[in-house]
């Protein structure tokens, strides 16, 4: 009877192993054939170990020579037939859907019930059998020990198979969009593991998470787990609440990271894993097909971060100095910015490199004048790869950088993703805030109308709030003043209620007052964050408007809002609040392209990172150059004079004093005093010749610089 017992023992053990294998596969614990084989072997050996141990104990306590107990055991093994329908994938006609879910447990219960019943039969048979010696118990014990050793070996191989299968995914780094925000990251499948080098852990572990696309079934949150790679240490488990319009930050403090280990395993799941899984490290391989977006991981040193100065730069299209009260405008159109200027470092004579929002923004962030980087209407449609960008350099210093550009509308050279500016930023939002225009409210643009600077500023504020514990560089560009349109949300401070068609300058000042309030709300909320105490804030206009009436004097402001190559369009507000800087007015000549070396100095970057010097510390310029394109215009501003020339479609490398035409030569002090201009070209021909030669040299140098940047891009 013993041979029959052995055959049924192994057969029932194998079938039970197959049952457990199928059940485990449904929960992701069988990633491949080898692991499935190890599960079958382990479960079969557990069953055999338990059965032989049971028989050994009986032989030790009540030895018998009769075969009746073995017959009862053979029948108990035969109870495995209850598992065959499940193994054969036969669907029973269950009367209730809940029973379908419980089907494996029903079959297992039937097997267990019959098996246990015949165990009692075996016990009864032992009591009724003839006695024998206890030596046979050693054979049963040896069989149990052998089975236990096989269990240990196969379990270890199964666990190793699960662990290695979780490292099959090595997602490539790319640029992904969540809501309106682009970021450099990777797609990570649910349950797949990213290996993190623990030896590089110089601080807190930082990642950002998002859900790809516009999935209606996107979860509200995911669970992120970080464990030591041996898999048996308790790890760090965090719930990350996802945002529909951006990336959710996860920061794990250094002291909470897992213990000593060469590397860590980082993965995510929809649902939080049971506690026993976290503690044992026996995790299923998930094949849900779901993917999440992840940036990093990176490490942030809190002590280093605390020493870095956070920086916020606001660049406002259409904001000229001529319409700002601090700079001499008679109307109180900018009460907040006026006060902001009085409490910071305000530059009386700041000039834009080119009266174009995108061109000015790139100059601010690169330190290059517009003719050198070429990113303006009629120029290049993507930045040369050789162009160094301040935010890219700051990232290497540990800064987290973000840009909100409102660039996804307009010309090809707008500040949209794909133009090259995004390579300097960890996060890039180019969404143009659009509000559908109600019936009867003004002209209807093709895709709605600007919804207000508050829409962009609120997004920027939300991002800054999420990253308040990190050193941030935040660049925000506002385009609300790009078109002078009267919206109902504007207070009619400068427009009588009875006036149906107010002058453009009254409409502009109303819009400007509203933008001023929105900037105030943004900067006030930012200053109320305790973490933002060590922050440098820059507010600059990209260009201004000329409201003069042609033929009636430059100081008469009844004309339409125009962007001309004139003083009112080129002179812009520039205000800097920085730690350690006392409030003062600086009347020296500066260019907005000087902001890159200035901010680099504030951040502690090496000197000469950018051409030029910090306008907070060093001697002023003697001249400031501005340019415009199509036609090519160049302008030189000294302490007293503005001298401008036009060169038509002439290439920069072909410029000469013979192919430029003087368009203006004015005394800026007389212009501001509203004094009629003299014919200074006639009275100062020597200056005119000198300035024309200086502008030609400037244009030629910018052309050479552009060629050098293109060559650097080719070398890269």
């Amino acid at each position: 009877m013993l041979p029959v017992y052995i055959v049924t023992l192994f057969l029932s053990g194998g079938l039970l192993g197959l049952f457990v294998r199928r059940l485990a596969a449904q929960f992701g614990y069988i990633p491949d054939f080898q692991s499935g084989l190890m599960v079958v072997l382990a479960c079969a050996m557990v069953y055999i170990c338990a059965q032989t141990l049971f028989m050994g104990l009986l032989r030790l306590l009540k030895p018998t020579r009769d075969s009746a107990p073995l017959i009862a055991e053979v029948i108990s093994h035969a109870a495995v037939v209850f598992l065959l329908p499940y193994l054969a994938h036969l669907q029973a006609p269950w009367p209730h859907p809940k029973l379908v879910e419980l089907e494996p447990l029903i079959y297992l219960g039937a097997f267990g019930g019959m098996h246990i019943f015949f165990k009692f039969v075996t016990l009864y048979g032992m009591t009724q059998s003839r006695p024998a010696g206890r030596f046979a118990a050693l054979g049963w014990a040896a069989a149990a020990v052998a089975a236990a050793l096989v269990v240990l070996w196969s379990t270890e191989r199964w666990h190793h198979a699960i662990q290695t299968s979780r490292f099959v995914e090595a997602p490539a780094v790319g640029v992904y969009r969540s809501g309106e925000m682009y970021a450099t990251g990777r797609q990570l499948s649910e349950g797949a593991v990213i290996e993190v080098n623990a030896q590089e852990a110089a601080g807190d572990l930082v990642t950002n998470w998002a859900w790809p696309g516009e999935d209606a079934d996107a979860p509200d949150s995911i669970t992120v787990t970080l464990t030591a790679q041996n898999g048996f240490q308790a790890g760090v488990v965090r719930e990350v609440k996802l945002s529909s319009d951006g990336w959710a930050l996860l920061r794990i403090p250094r002291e909470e990271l897992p213990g000593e280990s060469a590397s860590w395993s980082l993965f995510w799941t929809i649902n939080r894993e049971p506690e026993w899984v976290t503690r044992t490290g026996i995790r299923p391989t998930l094949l849900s097909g779901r993917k999440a977006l992840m940036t990093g991981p990176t490490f942030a040193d809190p002590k280093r971060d605390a020493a870095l100065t956070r920086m916020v730069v606001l660049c406002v299209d259409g904001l000229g100095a001529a319409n700002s009260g601090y700079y001499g405008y008679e109307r109180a159109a900018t009460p907040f910015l006026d006060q902001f200027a009085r409490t910071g470092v305000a530059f009386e004579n700041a000039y834009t490199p080119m009266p174009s929002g995108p061109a000015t923004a790139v100059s601010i962030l690169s330190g290059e004048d517009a003719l050198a980087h070429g990113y303006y209407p009629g120029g290049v449609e993507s930045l040369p790869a050789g162009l160094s960008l301040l935010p890219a350099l700051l990232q290497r210093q540990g800064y987290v950088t973000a840009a909100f550009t409102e660039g996804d509308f307009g010309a090809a050279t707008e500040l949209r993703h794909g133009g090259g500016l995004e390579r300097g930023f960890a996060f890039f939002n180019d969404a143009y805030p659009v509000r559908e225009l109600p019936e009867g409210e003004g002209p209807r643009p093709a895709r709605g109308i600007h919804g207000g600077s508050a829409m962009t500023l609120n997004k920027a504020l939300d991002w800054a709030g999420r990253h308040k514990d990190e050193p941030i560089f935040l660049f925000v560009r506002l385009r609300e003043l790009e078109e002078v349109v009267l919206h109902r949300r504007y207070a009619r401070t400068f427009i009588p209620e009875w006036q149906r068609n107010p002058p453009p300058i009254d409409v502009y000042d109303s819009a400007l007052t509203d933008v001023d309030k929105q900037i105030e709300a943004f900067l006030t909320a930012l200053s109320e964050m305790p973490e933002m105490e060590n922050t440098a804030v820059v507010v600059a206009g990209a260009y201004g408007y000329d409201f003069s009436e042609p033929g009636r004097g430059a100081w008469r402001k009844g004309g339409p809002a125009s962007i001309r190559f004139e003083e009112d369009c080129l002179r812009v507000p520039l205000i800097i609040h920085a730690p350690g800087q006392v409030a003062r007015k600086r009347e020296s000549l500066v260019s907005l392209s000087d902001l890159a070396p200035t901010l680099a100095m504030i951040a502690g970057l090496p000197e000469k990172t950018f051409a030029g010097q910090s306008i907070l510390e060093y001697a002023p310029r003697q001249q400031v150059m501005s340019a415009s394109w199509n036609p090519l215009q160049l302008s030189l501003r000294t302490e007293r004079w503005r001298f401008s020339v036009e060169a038509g479609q002439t290439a920069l490398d072909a410029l000469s004093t013979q192919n430029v035409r003087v368009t203006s030569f004015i005394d800026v002090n007389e212009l501001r005093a509203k004094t009629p201009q003299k014919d200074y070209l006639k009275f100062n021909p020597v200056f005119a010749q000198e300035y024309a030669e200086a502008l030609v040299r400037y244009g030629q140098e910018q052309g050479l610089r552009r060629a050098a940047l293109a060559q650097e891009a080719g070398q890269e």
Side-chain angles (χ1 to χ4, degrees):
M1 196 63 197
L2 183 61
V4 176
Y5 172 86
I6 294 174
V7 170
T8 57
L9 175 65
F10 277 87
L11 183 62
S12 59
L15 290 174
L16 183 62
L18 289 172
F19 178 88
V20 174
R21 181 205 177 282
R22 185 186 171 194
L23 200 61
Q26 295 179 359
F27 292 95
Y29 285 99
I30 309 296
D32 52 29
F33 176 79
Q34 181 186 2
S35 61
L37 187 62
M38 291 299 104
V39 166
V40 173
L41 181 59
C43 292
M45 289 298 108
V46 167
Y47 179 80
I48 291 171
C49 179
Q51 299 300 318
T52 53
L53 187 60
F54 175 74
M55 291 300 295
L57 288 173
L58 290 182
R59 289 285 185 172
L60 183 64
L61 298 175
K62 184 65 177 176
T64 180
R65 66 184 64 181
D66 291 345
S67 58
L70 289 178
I71 295 174
E73 283 298 292
V74 167
I75 298 174
S76 73
H77 298 160
V80 78
V81 297
F82 286 110
L83 306 181
L84 292 178
Y86 184 74
L87 293 175
H89 297 272
L90 298 177
Q91 184 65 50
W94 302 107
H96 194 279
K98 195 66 176 177
L99 296 177
V100 177
E101 299 177 13
L102 299 175
E103 186 179 42
L105 296 180
I106 294 174
Y107 290 133
L108 192 61
F111 162 76
M114 179 176 173
H115 188 79
I116 292 173
F117 173 78
F118 279 98
K119 287 297 179 188
F120 284 107
V121 174
T122 299
L123 289 173
Y124 178 76
M126 294 290 284
T127 60
Q128 303 300 316
S129 299
R130 293 171 296 168
R134 288 182 168 84
F135 183 76
L138 293 177
W140 293 102
V145 171
L149 293 176
V150 176
V151 169
L152 293 175
W153 175 82
S154 56
T155 300
E156 190 277 332
R157 297 299 301 167
W158 167 67
H159 185 266
H160 181 264
I162 287 183
Q163 290 297 103
T164 55
S165 71
R166 295 172 64 82
F167 291 90
V168 295
E169 188 167 85
V173 175
V175 176
Y176 295 94
R177 179 174 178 174
S178 175
E180 299 173 348
M181 184 74 81
Y182 293 91
T184 300
R186 65 191 85 197
Q187 281 192 329
L188 186 63
S189 299
E190 183 177 12
V193 168
I194 291 293
E195 185 176 358
V196 182
N197 189 346
Q199 296 176 347
E200 296 179 355
D204 302 346
L205 185 140
V206 180
T207 59
N208 293 271
W209 297 84
W211 198 257
E214 302 292 336
D215 189 353
D217 296 327
D220 295 329
S221 63
I222 60 174
T223 298
V224 177
T225 303
L226 181 72
T227 66
Q229 204 177 85
N230 58 31
F232 288 103
Q233 278 191 1
V236 180
V237 182
R238 291 287 187 275
E239 181 183 12
V240 179
K241 294 189 179 299
L242 301 178
S243 171
S244 61
D245 59 352
W247 297 71
L249 173 68
L250 172 62
R251 182 166 182 150
I252 303 176
R254 179 67 183 90
E255 58 271 16
E256 297 181 19
L257 296 176
E260 295 297 327
S261 177
S263 59
W264 298 319
S265 299
L266 179 70
F267 60 92
W268 72 273
T269 54
I270 288 286
N271 300 312
R272 188 184 181 102
E273 62 185 14
E275 186 66 23
W276 69 268
V277 172
T278 302
R279 294 194 174 278
T280 63
I282 303 177
R283 295 183 172 86
T285 300
L286 299 174
L287 302 174
S288 65
R290 293 185 289 250
K291 292 179 180 290
L293 302 177
M294 181 192 77
T295 68
T298 59
F299 292 99
D301 183 354
K303 293 183 179 179
R304 179 205 63 188
D305 292 353
L308 294 175
T309 301
R310 293 162 170 81
M311 288 184 275
V312 178
V313 179
L314 291 182
C315 182
V316 186
D317 285 19
L319 176 60
N323 290 78
S324 302
Y326 181 84
Y327 293 89
Y329 192 43
E330 61 273 11
R331 282 180 169 177
T334 54
F336 172 74
L337 289 179
D338 297 343
Q339 178 61 27
F340 193 70
R342 284 189 286 271
T343 56
V345 183
F347 294 85
E348 179 73 17
N349 294 297
Y351 289 88
T352 180
M354 180 175 283
S356 160
T360 299
V362 174
S363 291
I364 289 173
L365 297 172
S366 68
E368 299 283 356
D369 282 354
L371 291 180
H373 62 66
Y375 200 77
Y376 49 77
V380 299
E381 293 187 4
S382 63
L383 297 180
L387 185 70
S388 294
L389 294 172
L390 174 64
L393 300 177
L394 292 176
Q395 280 194 74
R396 300 172 194 169
Q397 298 295 112
Y399 278 84
V400 181
T401 58
F404 294 79
T405 68
E406 298 189 356
D408 191 24
F409 178 53
T413 50
E414 257 305 333
L415 299 178
R416 57 169 51 90
H417 188 273
L421 188 67
E422 71 280 353
R423 72 172 183 259
F425 292 95
F427 299 93
F428 192 87
N429 185 321
D430 63 0
Y432 185 83
V434 175
R435 176 178 66 89
E436 288 301 323
L437 198 61
E439 293 293 336
E441 188 184 330
R444 185 174 297 274
R447 51 170 294 184
I449 199 166
H450 196 288
S453 298
M455 295 177 68
T456 298
L457 291 171
N458 287 340
K459 295 172 189 175
L461 183 65
D462 179 65
W463 181 89
R466 290 200 299 268
H467 295 268
K468 62 181 182 296
D469 293 323
E470 301 175 276
I472 64 170
F473 176 82
L474 174 60
F475 177 80
V476 182
R477 180 239 185 158
L478 303 175
R479 297 175 64 186
E480 183 170 358
L481 299 177
E482 190 177 54
E483 292 185 61
V484 181
V485 179
L486 183 60
H487 300 309
R488 290 181 179 178
R489 65 176 179 270
Y490 297 158
R492 297 175 69 94
T493 306
F494 308 106
I495 304 173
E497 290 293 335
W498 53 267
Q499 195 168 30
R500 292 181 176 273
N501 297 302
I505 193 168
D506 293 345
V507 176
Y508 172 83
D509 286 344
S510 298
L512 179 57
T513 300
D514 191 75
V515 171
D516 181 80
K517 291 179 180 178
Q518 294 174 42
I519 293 175
E520 177 183 15
F522 170 75
L523 293 181
T524 300
L526 205 64
S527 66
E528 291 174 351
M529 299 181 189
E531 298 83 359
M532 294 294 173
E533 182 179 359
N534 184 32
T535 301
V537 178
V538 177
V539 178
Y543 58 87
Y545 286 112
D546 183 358
F547 291 94
S548 63
E549 302 177 53
R552 301 191 63 185
W555 54 86
R556 295 182 65 91
K557 305 298 183 181
S562 303
I563 301 177
R564 301 190 181 98
F565 208 53
E566 303 289 349
E567 179 76 5
D568 284 356
C569 299
L570 301 178
R571 179 171 170 251
V572 294
L574 175 58
I575 308 163
I576 300 177
H577 280 229
Q581 295 293 323
V582 297
R584 62 192 186 277
K585 177 189 287 189
R586 297 201 65 177
E587 297 185 356
S588 53
L589 294 170
V590 299
S591 170
L592 293 187
S593 59
D594 294 326
L595 278 174
T598 302
L599 294 173
M601 182 274 295
I602 293 174
L605 295 180
E607 289 190 23
K608 304 303 180 183
T609 300
F610 295 97
Q613 296 176 317
S614 167
I615 56 179
L616 292 174
E617 303 294 338
Y618 296 102
R621 291 172 177 245
Q622 299 302 312
Q623 299 173 341
V624 169
M625 308 291 191
S626 298
S628 186
W629 191 260
N630 197 25
L632 173 61
Q633 299 178 86
L634 303 171
S635 185
L636 176 149
R637 172 76 162 86
T638 68
E639 184 178 348
R640 178 180 178 184
W641 305 105
R642 172 166 296 287
F643 182 84
S644 304
V645 300
E646 181 180 314
Q649 304 299 321
T650 305
L652 294 176
D653 58 359
L655 278 176
S656 71
T657 54
Q658 282 72 42
N659 57 22
V660 298
R661 178 178 63 87
V662 178
T663 56
S664 68
F665 188 9
I666 63 172
D667 184 326
V668 176
N669 297 325
E670 289 182 354
L671 176 68
R672 294 182 185 176
K674 301 180 181 180
T675 302
Q677 294 287 314
K678 301 179 180 66
D679 186 358
Y680 290 109
L681 186 60
K682 176 181 178 180
F683 295 138
N684 297 299
V686 176
F687 278 5
Q689 181 66 23
E690 177 186 333
Y691 292 158
E693 292 174 354
L695 287 174
V696 167
R697 285 195 304 272
Y698 168 74
Q700 293 171 343
E701 290 168 357
Q702 294 300 298
L704 291 173
R705 179 57 181 158
R706 183 188 294 193
L709 289 174
Q711 185 177 6
E712 291 174 19
Q715 291 173 352
E716 290 186 2

